[in-house]
Structures are given as C-alpha cells and as structure tokens.
Amino acid sequence: MLSSFVSSAKLGNPAISRGFARMMSSVPTTMKAAVIREVGDADALKVETDFPTPTAKPGQVIVKNEFAGINFIDTYHRKGLYPRELPFVGGQEGGGTVVSTTPEAEAEGVKVGDRVAYSVLGTYAEYAAVPAAKLLPVPDGVSMDVAVSCVVQGLTAHYLTSSAHADLIKPGEWCLIHGVGGGTCQWAAQMAKQRGFKVIGTVSKGKASVAEGLGCDELIVLDEVPGQSFEDYESVDVVAKVMEVTEGKGCKAVIDGIGLSTMDISISSLAHRGIFVSFGNASGAVPPFPVLRLIAKSAYVTRPKLLDYTTNRAELVERADEIFGWLLDGKLKVSVDTSFPLDDAAEGHKYLEAGKSKGKLLYKI
C-alpha cells in the first residue's frame, strides 16, 4: 500500500528544477510556530509568528502542515526531562501536503501535492522539513487527522504489541495494558486483540465508557487522580484482580506507560517468564531497581522507544501498512478527542497533563 510513491518525475528533468524553484519561492521565509526558548511548564510554549521557515536539504521536502500531534514525549522535551538544544519548535508528529521538493526526494517518487504524515522533530509549526524516507503517504479514505494520530501513538502501539515483547507472549495468552482509556493504549488494546492476545486493561472511571468499546477481555476500573493523566492505582488491588482473572498464572506481557505508580504492580502481575514492557512516564519515571527482583518468575524487562523499532524505511512502511489496512477494514477505532488551534499551544499540553483526554489530541495548524 505505502511501499512507494507514484510519480512521473525523473531526476535531471529540467522541468523538475523549474518546478522546484517555483515552489520554493512560494513558501514564506517565516512562519507561525510554538517555540520553547526556556524549559518549564506548559506556558513555556510560546507561539511566534516570525519563526524562520525551514529549508529543505537534499533528500528532504517541505510539508505544509494541516495537523500536528500532541504526545507525552513532547511534554518531556518541554520540561527538559529529555534535553534538547534551545530554542526549539515543539512536537514530533505531523501531516499535511508536500509543497516543495528536492531532486533527490523526487527521485524517490515524492511530488508536490502528495498527502503525507510523518514523524520528525519540530512539527508544532506551519511548515516542516522532512526527509523523504520518513514520509508516509496517506491513503484515500483516511482523513488527515486520523493519519496524524497514527504516526506516534499508532506506530508505538504497533511495536509494543508486535515486537517489544520479543515473542514471549503467544496468541491466547494474557496481556495487561495500563491506561487503555488514553491515546496510545487505546490503540495497543485493539492491536493486542488483533494479535490474538487476551487483554486486561486498567482504566479510570471517567474513561471507562471509552475503554468498553476496545474489545478488552477484562477491564479493571480505578478511581481517578484529580488533575492527573493517570488512574489511582491504590484504589483497587490490581495484582489480586489480575491473578483472579488469569487463574493465578499472571500475564505474559505487561505494557506500561504509567511508570512510577505502576512499576511494582506490573512486575508482580507477570507470569512465569513474562516481560515487563515499560515505555512511558505518565506518573513519573521508573526508578532503578535491582535485577534480582525478576528472579522469582525468571522475568524479563525492556525499556523500548519507537526509533529503535522503525530503524529503516522498510520497517516503518511495514508497520504503517498494517495500521492503515486495519483502519480501512474497520478493525481499528481512532478517537480524536480535541483539535486545539496552534495559537492555544499551551492549553493543549495542559489538557493532556491534566488527564482530560479520551483520545488523540491534535493542533489544527
């Protein structure tokens, strides 16, 4: 589906060079962008209207963004938890229309007018420079807001449920997924079911109605933590419930984006030779712990990241193909909670960090 762009462009054609120059001249030299000049809380995101528009290096294109995704990793960058050189434009997920190309990108089949989604740093802006190898053509029948929702959360959920567990879980075995009322793990719960796993999901009372439509075999409904993006994991004995549901065996995989509040629960919920997949820090970072804790069940632990599971274009496209295929076949439900205007950049981060989201959050550019 996405393995190649269709293009009649040929490298060295003079018409290409003329078209390239025309398109470059139509892209403004400055743009609107949400910029972090000092790390801090959500109000550190400042919208500027005269930020320099990026220029395309060889092999890149310029995309005029229609949407940018809002993800927890963006808040880690903004706070300085994951340091970046200042100043920087926030975001790492976007989608829109190619408005300018380079000859090298055209040689890969990319053309002006292509609808694309992608993940690079600096997407909270009107324009982004994107390597052609990172572009995902958006199929007809998939709207741009849904396509952008796929890029970070969808691809993250895909590698979590297909690869990060290192095949230590098989179809018919139990998988515990924390926070299935939120963005990434809504995807993960559905994809785990596509893989044939039996799924236990944890969810707050306020998001239970969303989680009920995901196909989980069992939901553990927890109290909410006011003003936070995660559930109260002390309100229910999650481990006891997991052991009851699994008849004392535990789960072969635990997918955990909550972090500090769920680390002990996740490890204690594992089955013999199960794997604890820790991929997020919604409640705080997981602290160091002695590896000897894993000996009781000969358990495994991994702390993966998306970039290591999309190491080349072939792997990226393979994952995206399957996700878009499931969407077109109606096998995945995508919930877009809110699209904030880019002018309200700080409000988007506040909404996410307050735990209000019941689906994907976006900026409408």
Side-chain angles (χ1 to χ4, degrees):
M1 184 192 306
L2 305 180
S3 57
S4 64
F5 286 88
V6 177
S7 176
S8 60
K10 294 181 179 179
L11 188 62
N13 187 329
I16 290 177
S17 298
R18 292 196 299 272
F20 174 66
R22 284 197 301 269
M23 293 311 298
M24 282 301 292
S25 64
S26 70
V27 176
T29 57
T30 61
M31 63 179 182
K32 181 184 291 186
V35 183
I36 294 90
R37 294 190 177 275
E38 294 184 4
V39 296
D41 62 16
D43 290 317
L45 271 174
K46 304 294 185 184
V47 177
E48 302 180 9
T49 58
D50 59 351
F51 197 84
T53 303
T55 56
K57 297 176 182 178
Q60 293 184 334
V61 304
I62 300 297
V63 176
K64 181 174 175 56
N65 289 322
E66 185 177 344
F67 290 96
I70 308 173
N71 298 287
F72 264 105
I73 193 170
D74 304 342
T75 71
Y76 306 155
H77 290 158
R78 188 205 73 222
K79 295 174 183 176
L81 179 63
Y82 295 174
R84 290 178 57 186
E85 184 177 350
L86 296 168
F88 64 88
V89 175
Q92 61 171 39
E93 179 180 52
T97 303
V98 174
V99 295
S100 179
T101 63
T102 57
E104 296 86 354
E106 289 177 345
E108 295 187 37
V110 186
K111 62 184 183 297
V112 169
D114 283 339
R115 298 172 68 240
V116 296
Y118 63 89
S119 177
V120 299
L121 295 173
T123 60
Y124 292 178
E126 291 179 305
Y127 296 92
V130 186
K134 289 185 174 291
L135 296 173
L136 297 175
V138 177
D140 293 338
V142 177
S143 63
M144 188 58 69
D145 57 344
V146 169
V148 173
S149 301
C150 293
V151 179
V152 171
Q153 291 186 346
L155 288 171
T156 296
H158 191 278
Y159 88 74
L160 289 172
T161 55
S162 65
S163 305
H165 51 65
D167 291 329
L168 292 168
I169 179 172
K170 306 297 182 185
E173 295 181 323
W174 286 101
C175 177
L176 172 62
I177 303 177
H178 289 302
V180 296
T184 299
C185 286
Q186 283 189 32
W187 292 84
Q190 296 176 82
M191 292 182 188
K193 290 300 296 180
Q194 291 292 327
R195 302 286 177 206
F197 307 150
K198 294 189 287 188
V199 176
I200 301 171
T202 64
V203 66
S204 68
K205 290 178 180 177
K207 298 180 181 180
S209 60
V210 174
E212 287 167 358
L214 301 177
C216 294
D217 297 274
E218 186 77 29
L219 282 176
I220 300 175
V221 181
L222 307 166
D223 291 342
E224 296 175 302
V225 179
Q228 297 294 333
S229 61
F230 52 92
E231 302 80 9
D232 181 359
Y233 283 89
E234 295 182 356
S235 63
V236 173
D237 189 338
V238 175
V239 176
K241 185 65 176 176
V242 166
M243 291 304 168
E244 176 188 336
V245 170
T246 63
E247 298 179 337
K249 295 179 181 178
C251 295
K252 280 291 190 176
V254 178
I255 295 174
D256 185 346
I258 305 300
L260 180 63
S261 294
T262 48
M263 179 190 78
D264 292 333
I265 293 169
S266 295
I267 293 173
S268 297
S269 295
L270 288 172
H272 178 64
R273 287 161 58 178
I275 185 167
F276 169 32
V277 182
S278 174
F279 78 98
N281 315 295
S283 66
V286 173
F289 64 89
V291 71
L292 197 61
R293 285 197 60 182
L294 305 175
I295 195 171
K297 298 177 181 178
S298 294
Y300 299 81
V301 63
T302 183
R303 183 40 171 105
K305 64 181 186 294
L306 176 59
L307 288 177
D308 288 330
Y309 288 87
T310 51
T311 55
N312 54 56
R313 178 151 183 81
E315 187 173 30
L316 176 67
V317 168
E318 181 181 359
R319 295 190 189 283
D321 271 349
E322 188 161 36
I323 294 169
F324 283 138
W326 284 334
L327 284 168
L328 291 169
D329 290 343
K331 294 179 179 178
L332 281 180
K333 299 176 183 178
V334 180
S335 173
V336 176
D337 181 297
T338 305
S339 294
F340 292 87
L342 185 60
D343 286 333
D344 296 337
E347 297 306 311
H349 275 216
K350 290 176 183 177
Y351 190 91
L352 178 67
E353 291 178 297
K356 296 179 180 179
S357 171
K358 295 182 180 180
K360 183 64 179 178
L361 299 181
L362 300 166
Y363 291 123
K364 180 76 170 68
I365 310 297

